Amino acid sequence: GLGRGRAMRESLAHEVQALREQQASDTAKLREMCDSACWRLREQSTSETTKLREHLQLETRTLREEVSRAYATRSDLQSARAGLEASLSSCRSELTTNRSDLERAKAELQSLRAEL
């Protein structure tokens, strides 16, 4: 009886030891898998962040260039408008001069007719 009890205890002790070793091995494998997955995710995240940053920098540069072109166009349009306004003003004064010349000519013509 006693020998059989000791044999059972030793057998159980071996099983418990084997289970502990298996659990330690499984835990180590899981830790390795988790570390590896975390590293991959970190690498991927860094890569995506870098790509996004580059894309944003490019977009920002493009927008700045477009804004700069828009300001240049606006400036050109303002200059053209100023030129057209000056030209219009000159045409108006010429027209006024022509009208007064025409009125003078009409008056001269009427006085000549009156003399005739």
Side-chain angles (χ1 to χ4, degrees), residues 42-98:
R42 198 174 294 122
E43 286 287 304
Q44 188 180 344
S45 168
T46 302
S47 166
E48 285 174 10
T49 302
T50 302
K51 281 180 196 158
L52 272 173
R53 190 175 292 123
E54 286 169 3
H55 179 71
L56 281 173
Q57 285 171 346
L58 182 65
E59 284 287 308
T60 302
R61 195 176 313 124
T62 304
L63 282 172
R64 280 198 185 118
E65 287 167 4
E66 284 178 19
V67 167
S68 178
R69 275 197 300 275
Y71 274 118
T73 301
R74 179 179 170 205
S75 174
D76 291 347
L77 287 172
Q78 285 172 338
S79 296
R81 180 179 176 185
L84 287 171
E85 284 173 351
S87 178
L88 183 62
S89 173
S90 164
C91 287
R92 279 189 181 133
S93 72
E94 213 175 300
L95 188 60
T96 304
T97 305
N98 289 347

Side-chain angles (χ1 to χ4, degrees), residues 30-42:
L30 274 174
R31 189 173 290 123
E32 258 180 54
M33 284 168 61
C34 285
D35 288 349
S36 173
C38 283
W39 184 83
R40 275 197 312 276
L41 283 171
R42 198 174 294 122

